[in-house]
């Protein structure tokens, strides 16, 4: 069980992006069960007409190209989100572009949607029909002349292989992308995305930034509700810089991990208030333990996701959180996750 603390020093000697690639290659070499079956019924939950074996998801950005979703489900995640995938392959920003802030248990990245494109991922996702929930996060190419058209392309390309689609308009590393969160642009984007998805397509989730003013939050909540968005993912990385100790603190890009926790938690509360509970929320940002997951659920999250904590806690984290969350739900007398949502 306590395997990762032993190997972590060796992993941390490697440059961060290289360590990431190696971890993904290692996972890819394992055989995929693709199942998320062995969880207590108390952890089961239904959101957007999907049945989750547990509410703990892997956030977008770890497996951008959908190379090992089955193996990742095998680590104990209740769902895995692949991407961000853009219509055309793109290289992303020059390296180095990924930094561990060890003293802060944080990460800064300015990857810039490096990915092999939707068509390559489509082939991989189409191969085995898996039972587990695999969401596909879609974005726009950096040089797209019509960014909204890129989301429409993504919906059409990926709908058949996605348990759900995430419209990501909150990456700080594609200049101007987050302006799609502005009311008029968002209204236009969601109208076109929902039309492309049609009545039979998968649920559509919208992923937002944590760096929003109260008026933006109200606008997004209103537009998302009017277009019947199936869930809001709160949130992506932050461009803000809370006090940090690490030498990499000055790197540009999106900050994630422990220093994002309180901001992401507050934004979840804000969206809960703004939506009046009418849209399911997925809490992301700085979640590293069962207590963090439980707190986010009680603040209104129907599901949670994580990424950065994996770097520090290792591949056993999803299962540990699942076990701990079961104990916390039972301690407080909840029969299931749904009962605890928003109970704080
Ligand atoms: C290296 C890295 C790459 C990421 N890439 C993406 C991405 O492609 N699309 C996306 O929606 N979010 C991406 N994210 C954001 C995460 O999905 C998540 O929202 C954020 O890191 C906060 O969660 P955490 O504190 O648990 O890491 C990325 C995060 C990291 C650290």
């Amino acid at each position: 069980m306590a395997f990762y603390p032993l190997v972590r020093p060796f992993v941390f000697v490697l440059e961060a992006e290289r360590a990431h690639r190696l971890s993904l290659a290692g996972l890819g070499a394992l055989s995929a069960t693709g199942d998320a079956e062995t969880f207590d019924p108390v952890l089961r939950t239904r959101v957007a007409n999907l049945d989750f074996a547990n509410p703990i998801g892997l956030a977008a950005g770890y497996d951008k190209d959908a190379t090992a979703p089955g193996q990742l489900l095998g680590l104990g995640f209740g769902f895995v989100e692949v991407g961000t995938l853009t219509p055309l392959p793109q290289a992303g920003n020059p390296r180095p572009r990924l930094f561990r802030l060890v003293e802060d248990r944080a990460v800064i990245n300015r990857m810039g949607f490096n990915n092999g494109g939707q068509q390559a991922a489509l082939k991989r996702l189409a191969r085995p029909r898996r039972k587990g929930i695999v969401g596909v996060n879609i974005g726009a190419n950096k040089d797209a002349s019509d960014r909204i058209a890129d989301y429409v392309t993504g919906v059409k390309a990926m709908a058949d292989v996605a348990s759900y689609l995430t419209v990501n308009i909150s990456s700080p590393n594609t200049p101007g992308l987050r302006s799609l969160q502005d009311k008029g642009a968002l209204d236009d984007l969601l109208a076109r995305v929902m039309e492309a998805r049609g009545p039979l397509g998968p649920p559509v989730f919208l992923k937002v930034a944590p760096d929003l003013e109260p008026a933006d939050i109200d606008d997004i909540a209103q537009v998302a509700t009017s277009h019947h968005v199936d869930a809001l993912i709160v949130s992506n990385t932050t461009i803000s810089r809370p006090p940090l100790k690490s030498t990499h603190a000055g790197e540009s890009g999106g900050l994630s991990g422990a220093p994002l926790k309180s901001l992401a938690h507050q934004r979840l509360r804000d969206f809960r208030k703004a939506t009046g509970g009418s849209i399911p929320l997925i809490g992301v940002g700085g979640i590293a333990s069962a207590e963090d997951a439980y707190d986010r659920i009680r603040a209104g999250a129907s599901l949670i996701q994580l990424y950065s904590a994996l770097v520090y806690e290792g591949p056993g984290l999803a299962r540990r959180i699942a076990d701990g969350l079961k104990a916390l739900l039972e301690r407080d007398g909840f029969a299931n996750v749904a009962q605890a949502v928003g109970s704080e």
Side-chain angles (χ1 to χ4, degrees):
M1 265 325 268
F3 170 69
Y4 191 69
L6 298 176
V7 300
R8 207 182 85 159
F10 299 99
V11 176
F12 279 14
V13 166
L14 300 172
E15 186 255 324
E17 187 165 346
R18 201 169 137 69
H20 168 254
R21 277 175 202 270
L22 280 172
S23 73
L24 204 49
L27 269 173
L30 302 174
S31 75
T33 63
D35 298 342
E37 77 290 6
T38 50
F39 293 94
D40 193 275
V42 77
L43 292 172
R44 278 188 211 143
T45 196
R46 189 173 170 82
V47 178
N49 289 324
L50 298 170
D51 289 310
F52 295 80
N54 73 54
I56 304 143
L58 176 63
Y62 179 76
D63 190 5
K64 287 180 190 266
D65 286 310
T67 56
Q71 290 88 339
L72 288 161
L73 286 167
L75 294 181
F77 286 103
F79 63 116
V80 168
E81 188 168 311
V82 302
T84 295
L85 287 157
T86 53
L88 300 175
Q90 69 180 25
N93 289 320
R95 285 165 80 162
R97 53 194 179 176
L98 177 62
F99 306 89
R100 287 185 210 101
L101 284 69
V102 179
E103 297 87 339
D104 303 296
R105 293 185 97 77
V107 173
I108 289 177
N109 93 82
R110 50 170 179 271
M111 305 300 286
F113 287 169
N114 57 308
N115 76 106
Q118 288 162 0
Q119 291 308 317
L122 182 66
K123 291 197 194 91
R124 280 190 286 276
L125 287 166
R127 238 181 277 141
R129 246 357 248 171
R130 39 189 130 247
K131 280 182 252 156
I133 294 177
V134 178
V136 178
N137 179 309
I138 56 172
N141 279 113
K142 189 179 172 195
D143 327 317
S145 55
D146 177 355
R147 289 226 162 117
I148 294 182
D150 270 21
Y151 288 90
V152 170
T153 300
V155 170
K156 290 185 174 156
M158 306 311 290
D160 285 348
V161 295
S163 305
Y164 67 84
L165 290 163
T166 295
V167 173
N168 175 19
I169 48 171
S170 48
S171 167
N173 301 314
T174 297
L177 190 83
R178 289 174 305 155
S179 63
L180 287 170
Q181 293 179 133
D182 298 346
K183 196 173 187 185
L186 184 61
D187 191 39
D188 191 14
L189 169 70
L190 290 177
R192 288 173 62 188
V193 159
M194 292 308 191
E195 189 195 0
R197 189 269 312 256
L200 301 175
V204 170
F205 299 173
L206 181 69
K207 184 165 179 180
V208 299
D211 310 310
L212 295 170
E213 298 300 321
D216 306 328
I217 294 169
D218 287 340
D219 286 349
I220 292 170
Q222 192 229 307
V223 176
T225 307
S226 71
H227 288 285
H228 306 288
V229 165
D230 296 280
L232 288 171
I233 305 184
V234 185
S235 69
N236 215 311
T237 56
T238 180
I239 55 168
S240 70
R241 290 292 182 269
L244 297 168
K245 300 188 202 83
S246 162
T247 48
H248 292 307
E251 295 292 345
S252 65
L255 172 71
S256 56
L260 173 61
K261 184 163 97 171
S262 65
L263 178 63
H265 191 103
Q266 187 53 47
R267 285 298 165 269
L268 185 87
R269 285 206 180 110
D270 296 341
F271 273 98
R272 171 88 175 171
K273 193 157 170 257
T275 57
S278 63
I279 305 180
L281 304 176
I282 301 174
V284 203
I287 294 174
S289 68
E291 287 74 16
D292 294 342
Y294 188 51
D295 285 351
R296 213 64 65 95
I297 289 168
R298 285 186 307 159
S302 294
L303 301 166
I304 65 104
Q305 290 179 323
L306 59 87
Y307 178 171
S308 300
L310 272 187
V311 175
Y312 297 101
E313 305 289 338
L317 183 61
R319 273 190 194 276
R320 284 201 296 278
I321 293 181
D323 291 345
L325 184 60
K326 169 185 174 312
L328 289 167
L329 290 165
E330 287 173 351
R331 180 196 71 189
D332 293 347
F334 293 113
N336 52 51
V337 175
Q339 278 184 2
V341 174
S343 64
E344 73 173 8

